[in-house]
Amino acid sequence: MIRARIIGCGAFLPDNVVTNDDLAAKVDTSDEWIRERTGIRQRYIALPGEKTSDLALGAARAALTDAGIDAGELDMIICATTTPDESFPATATIVQSRLGMGHGAAFDVQAVCSGFIYGLAVADSMIRTGAARTILLIGAETMSRLLDWNDRTTCVLFGDGAGAVVLQAHDGLGDNSDQGVLNTRLFSDGRLHDMLYTDGGVSSTQTVGKLRMHGKEVFKHAVTNIAAAIQASLDAAGLTVEDIDWFVPHQANQRILDGTARKLGIDPGRVISTVAQHGNTSAASVPLALCTAVREGRIKRGDLVLLEAMGGGFTWGAALLRW
Ligand code: ACO
């Protein structure tokens, strides 16, 4: 059986660190409120003129270097983003061009904060069906461009950044001992649109709009949906939470991470958390957290890793892989 194995990962953050105190100087908030409600201490915000493709390219180059391959060996680039440089063409094609790559295929995936999990499901399917052998998957966002900086209930939560992985086809036995993606589970419920959305768009207002959110409702759904996605992935593999070495959640809010861990009986010591440093970077958050944990030597070759995310739509999902 063909398996999609992650052979390299990389991350990229803008230079500009914005602390909670920096925000408190501009909006009616405080470091204490943000830390207590979210766990966030700082976030990275792209400088004027710095685009999603700039962050995506930085992460892509780091992932290719880590994998020890160059862009010539890629068959496909998938970029998960909600904040593309332009309405079209896809940000993935801009990265393709800047990597000097004129072959293969490049396209974006839009599933907001679940984008990386959705992109991973697409990449895994492409590799397992033989449509591609080597894929660069990026999660990249400049969420700062979608924020209403006068709305303290949302602007303190998000940050900018990018993470990327290189996936490659390898032969496996078809059981849980294989290295690579073991399963992915995707879900959405479009009826919950009004919980988290932008109040504009190309075909409605001809603007990009600003992010709007019902925080309490999102919180409730997040814990329930993420727990269900994790359980679906575990069930598909015939595993339990005790079998998983590392959980790499979407970094929305420390309280969501803690609530989900409590609900499923997960040891908090096995949950990777980077929300304090990065804030919520939407589709970039899972690969940023994954790469951070790999760099720090926590996730090692052979470990069982469960990724999960939830975002606007709502969309949510999980992916089980052996590193
Ligand atoms: N600073 C200071 N006070 C604030 C701030 C702020 N930044 N934001 C809101 N407040 C005030 C409110 O005005 C309110 O004041 P009031 O009681 O005088 O009316 C008070 O704090 C409490 O507000 P709540 O909205 O009840 O606060 P809550 O405890 O629900 O926390 C939060 C808000 C952090 C947004 C929480 O609901 C949450 O984490 N929701 C999940 C949202 C999320 O993570 N979204 C990310 C996108 S989706 C995803 O990635 C899964």
Side-chain angles (χ1 to χ4, degrees):
M1 180 176 182
I2 301 173
R3 293 289 196 188
R5 194 189 280 182
I6 297 180
I7 61 164
C9 67
F12 189 88
L13 292 159
D15 286 335
N16 180 30
V17 176
V18 176
T19 65
N20 292 345
D21 284 333
D22 293 335
L23 279 184
K26 290 189 202 143
V27 286
D28 181 16
T29 189
S30 67
D31 174 50
E32 190 189 8
W33 192 96
I34 301 170
R35 269 192 294 109
E36 276 177 9
R37 305 282 174 132
T38 72
I40 298 168
R41 290 171 181 271
Q42 62 167 51
R43 71 288 293 139
Y44 295 79
I45 300 291
L47 290 164
E50 196 168 27
K51 298 191 291 288
T52 294
S53 64
D54 297 320
L55 310 185
L57 184 68
R61 285 192 172 133
L64 288 168
T65 301
D66 189 46
I69 68 167
D70 65 41
E73 293 173 64
L74 294 174
D75 302 314
M76 191 173 282
I77 299 175
I78 304 173
C79 184
T81 187
T82 306
T83 48
D85 290 11
E86 298 159 343
S87 297
F88 79 87
T91 300
T93 61
I94 298 169
V95 174
Q96 181 190 29
S97 155
R98 292 179 66 188
L99 287 173
M101 179 181 159
H103 66 276
F107 58 94
D108 288 358
V109 166
Q110 178 14 341
V112 207
C113 298
S114 312
F116 187 80
I117 305 292
Y118 271 63
L120 189 62
V122 174
D124 179 46
S125 302
M126 291 285 184
I127 287 176
R128 283 194 295 109
T129 56
R133 186 176 141 68
T134 309
I135 298 180
L136 172 65
L137 169 63
I138 309 164
E141 301 279 19
T142 46
M143 291 304 281
S144 60
R145 307 325 195 210
L146 277 182
L147 297 174
D148 176 350
W149 288 97
N150 295 313
D151 176 8
R152 67 177 182 172
T153 68
T154 54
C155 75
V156 301
L157 303 176
F158 294 87
D160 302 334
V165 297
V166 179
L167 295 127
Q168 195 165 62
H170 283 271
D171 287 333
L173 298 171
D175 61 28
N176 288 339
S177 71
D178 288 347
Q179 212 174 28
V181 180
L182 299 177
N183 71 50
T184 58
R185 288 290 179 274
L186 304 181
F187 307 91
S188 66
D189 185 347
R191 295 171 302 178
L192 297 164
H193 168 278
D194 293 355
M195 301 293 115
L196 182 56
Y197 63 101
T198 59
D199 60 4
V202 177
S203 76
S204 53
T205 58
Q206 294 79 59
T207 64
V208 294
K210 296 288 179 211
L211 184 146
R212 304 293 173 207
M213 178 179 74
H214 293 284
K216 272 195 200 312
E217 291 305 314
V218 173
F219 193 101
K220 272 193 281 179
H221 282 94
V223 173
T224 307
N225 291 346
I226 288 167
I230 291 173
Q231 199 58 57
S233 177
L234 290 172
D235 290 349
L239 298 173
T240 68
V241 289
E242 281 78 34
D243 297 313
I244 305 302
D245 296 300
W246 295 105
F247 291 84
V248 184
H250 167 50
Q251 307 289 316
N253 181 318
Q254 188 61 43
R255 289 194 302 155
I256 295 177
L257 270 57
D258 294 343
T260 309
R262 245 192 331 269
K263 193 175 169 79
L264 291 177
I266 295 169
D267 169 7
R270 286 189 288 139
V271 180
I272 304 295
S273 176
T274 56
V275 70
Q277 291 80 42
H278 300 157
N280 181 348
T281 57
S282 184
S285 103
V286 170
L288 267 174
L290 182 67
C291 292
T292 302
V294 171
R295 290 290 163 276
E296 291 173 351
R298 284 190 280 168
I299 296 179
K300 298 186 188 66
R301 280 289 164 212
D303 283 353
L304 263 182
V305 181
L306 210 150
L307 317 179
E308 50 85 345
M310 181 187 127
F314 287 145
T315 57
W316 65 101
L320 177 68
L321 57 94
R322 188 174 294 284
W323 189 253

